[in-house]
Amino acid sequence: MNTPHIATTLPRRRFLRGIGVTLGLPMLECMTPVFSRATESRPPRRMLLISNNLGVLPQHFFPKDKGPGYTLSPCLKELAAFRNDFTICSGLSHPAVTGGHSTENCFLTAARDPTGSGFRNSISLDQFAAESLGQQTRFPTLNLGVNIDKANRSLSWTRDGVLLPAEDSPAALFRKMFIQGDAKQTALSLKRLQERGSVLDVLSEDMRGFQRGLSASDRSRLDQYLTSVRELEERLAISGEWEQKPKPQTKTTEPKDIADKAKFFPKIQLMLDMARLAFESDSTRIITLMVDGFATPVFEIDDQHRTRDGYHNLSHHGQSKEKLAELEKVDLQQMRHLRDLIASLATTPTADAKRLLDHTMVLYGSNLGDANVHNCTNLPVLLAGGGFKHGQHLAFDTVQNKPLCNLFVSMLQNMGIESAVFGSSGGILSGLNQL
């Protein structure tokens, strides 16, 4: 988390003496120990948020017509068996989020002007949802990546605009979810959590005199900081409870990581399999997955085809017939993996005799509408599952776009979060209705 800016006229020693403050809050329902909460009244809702930061070829992705009777585009024909389980949206984007590849970290935040001086990201959709829902599972969210530059790219950002590194090792993720440590390891994990908590205990003395010496702006920043500390305290306490609870069991064997970045699609498939396992075991209900095409070198499209160039250079095709032909194959392969994911969720039953897909939203999209020219409008967006009335192409103005965050608000409400605003939203997405 970021500490607040303190006026340079404030002596450092005085700040250190006064930094202690009692971080007390009244006991709220959200602070009740996680294992003593009442049984949920409805089946849990889930969402998987996927972004390829180089997008797709728009001319092969978007349908030519709109409404429920639209004609499937070349890309969407790969999903034909599930056309009533997904909605295609055109004419959506984030207002004032421009700057080509720099927008990749803003896909789930809608933070404006990412190339501007002093830019600071905002909270991402997944973290906003996790904050609102509280920790109902072992992992509030899982943030995953394929071929990702972990230090610089992520779909997941804190309220303070801090990047949350993506997990790019399926094996490490599997161990976190399913491998139970022995008593010694559990004790060590609990000790580490307590040590983190002890740092917060330093903030324990009255700070009123110190706060009176601050400007209104500094008091506001300090209040934001202390709020973050309170939230961290709660998360540490809940993490300690989960550390003592047995992990779920699975018949799936631990996967082997794929180190070769050229194995682009096998790596995507492996991460999608892990996401499905996470949902099936209820390890989490919110997952993000960034497919980092920008960091992907020459790669295999399938057993018979290999690209002639790295994904980034390929995306800047300049209308080259050879590059366009390769990109079309790449996009079709992406759709096949998405189809297989939807199929697996559609064939997994839930306790209420429905499909896991009916309780799981799968969002696929990109921060780029056309990577060839770094266009950030008319973003490719596909939403599957979640109990919505699908089978349609929601076509909005491709010049005067609707805010993509309108869709995000609809998704938040589908998760049971009573929020009418997120990012640049102006309400819910019209035309997207529940069954």
Side-chain angles (χ1 to χ4, degrees):
M1 70 183 75
N2 291 341
T3 55
H5 166 74
I6 302 298
T8 55
T9 55
L10 183 66
R12 180 175 180 275
R13 183 171 294 178
R14 179 188 167 199
F15 173 72
L16 292 175
R17 279 203 312 265
I19 201 169
V21 62
T22 301
L23 299 178
L25 281 177
M27 180 58 76
L28 305 176
E29 182 180 353
C30 66
M31 294 181 182
T32 305
V34 67
F35 306 119
S36 65
R37 293 179 186 173
T39 303
E40 292 171 286
S41 58
R42 71 169 193 169
R45 299 281 176 163
R46 301 174 174 87
M47 62 181 177
L48 170 57
L49 311 168
I50 307 169
S51 174
N52 179 326
N53 59 4
L54 294 179
V56 293
L57 291 171
Q59 64 269 34
H60 293 296
F61 180 80
F62 290 113
K64 301 297 183 184
D65 47 3
K66 61 184 179 179
Y70 74 94
T71 304
L72 292 168
S73 66
C75 267
L76 300 181
K77 285 180 181 178
E78 296 296 331
L79 301 167
F82 299 99
R83 74 170 290 153
N84 291 326
D85 286 310
F86 68 87
T87 292
I88 289 294
C89 300
S90 58
L92 298 181
S93 63
H94 292 311
V97 180
T98 58
H101 296 297
S102 62
T103 63
E104 59 202 348
N105 289 330
C106 302
F107 181 65
L108 294 183
T109 70
R112 294 170 177 256
D113 196 19
T115 59
S117 176
F119 169 75
R120 185 176 183 178
N121 215 340
S122 54
I123 191 168
S124 53
L125 179 65
D126 60 309
Q127 294 301 306
F128 183 89
E131 279 188 5
S132 303
L133 293 171
Q135 188 164 348
Q136 301 172 337
T137 54
R138 184 178 297 274
F139 305 103
T141 65
L142 289 176
N143 181 33
L144 311 179
V146 171
N147 283 359
I148 192 165
D149 178 357
K150 296 170 66 173
N152 296 302
R153 300 189 186 104
S154 179
L155 287 180
S156 192
W157 295 76
T158 70
R159 183 167 291 281
D160 296 322
V162 177
L163 176 151
L164 294 174
E167 176 60 76
D168 60 355
S169 166
L173 178 60
F174 182 92
R175 290 191 292 270
K176 288 178 184 176
M177 291 195 297
F178 301 113
I179 303 302
Q180 189 74 44
D182 57 26
K184 185 176 180 180
Q185 290 172 318
T186 300
L188 181 60
S189 296
L190 287 171
K191 182 180 179 182
R192 287 172 178 166
L193 287 170
Q194 291 167 355
E195 287 172 348
R196 292 176 189 173
S198 68
V199 175
L200 304 181
D201 292 339
V202 173
L203 304 177
S204 60
E205 298 177 1
D206 187 6
M207 197 177 167
R208 293 176 183 173
F210 169 71
Q211 289 175 310
R212 280 197 295 268
L214 298 178
S215 67
S217 176
D218 279 343
R219 282 199 301 272
S220 176
R221 291 190 183 100
L222 188 59
D223 182 64
Q224 293 175 6
Y225 172 71
L226 295 178
T227 297
S228 297
V229 173
R230 293 185 189 105
E231 293 170 351
L232 181 56
E233 283 185 321
E234 182 187 351
R235 290 197 295 271
L236 287 174
I238 294 174
S239 295
E241 294 183 35
W242 278 106
E243 197 62 42
Q244 300 174 73
K245 182 179 174 66
K247 292 182 179 181
Q249 295 183 341
T250 179
K251 295 180 180 179
T252 304
T253 57
E254 181 177 326
K256 292 183 178 180
D257 289 339
I258 303 172
D260 186 358
K261 286 189 173 184
K263 301 289 186 181
F264 181 61
F265 284 111
K267 293 182 77 170
I268 290 176
Q269 184 60 59
L270 196 50
M271 272 304 187
L272 290 177
D273 288 344
M274 295 306 301
R276 176 181 52 78
L277 272 176
F279 284 151
E280 288 181 359
S281 62
D282 204 26
S283 295
T284 191
R285 295 172 187 171
I286 304 170
I287 301 175
T288 58
L289 172 59
M290 177 181 274
V291 177
D292 191 354
F294 195 91
T296 299
V298 173
F299 62 100
E300 298 173 1
I301 302 174
D302 53 39
D303 292 340
Q304 287 78 39
H305 300 92
R306 187 181 181 94
T307 62
R308 303 176 189 180
D309 210 338
Y311 202 161
H312 177 221
N313 289 341
L314 192 64
S315 72
H316 292 291
H317 51 77
Q319 304 307 319
S320 161
K321 290 183 180 179
E322 292 79 11
K323 288 186 175 182
L324 284 169
E326 287 191 354
L327 282 171
E328 187 173 359
K329 290 185 176 71
V330 170
D331 292 349
L332 291 175
Q333 193 72 321
Q334 288 187 72
M335 293 301 107
R336 293 181 190 116
H337 284 291
L338 189 58
R339 175 199 63 200
D340 293 346
L341 171 68
I342 293 172
S344 67
L345 295 173
T347 54
T348 301
T350 56
D352 61 347
K354 289 192 175 184
R355 307 173 302 169
L356 185 56
L357 181 64
D358 298 323
H359 302 312
T360 304
M361 293 176 286
V362 178
L363 175 71
Y364 173 87
S366 177
N367 54 290
L368 291 177
D370 187 346
N372 181 51
V373 292
H374 287 172
N375 186 289
C376 299
T377 61
N378 193 28
L379 303 179
V381 174
L382 182 153
L383 178 70
F388 287 107
K389 189 180 295 183
H390 289 300
Q392 59 181 332
H393 171 205
L394 293 179
F396 301 100
D397 194 320
T398 55
V399 177
Q400 300 294 326
N401 291 176
K402 288 280 187 182
L404 176 55
C405 284
N406 285 10
L407 173 59
F408 292 172
V409 170
S410 294
M411 295 176 69
L412 288 170
Q413 292 184 4
N414 182 269
M415 292 287 288
I417 299 168
E418 296 180 3
S419 177
V421 178
F422 178 82
S424 55
S425 69
I428 61 174
L429 190 68
S430 58
L432 184 65
N433 303 308
Q434 291 287 139
L435 286 172

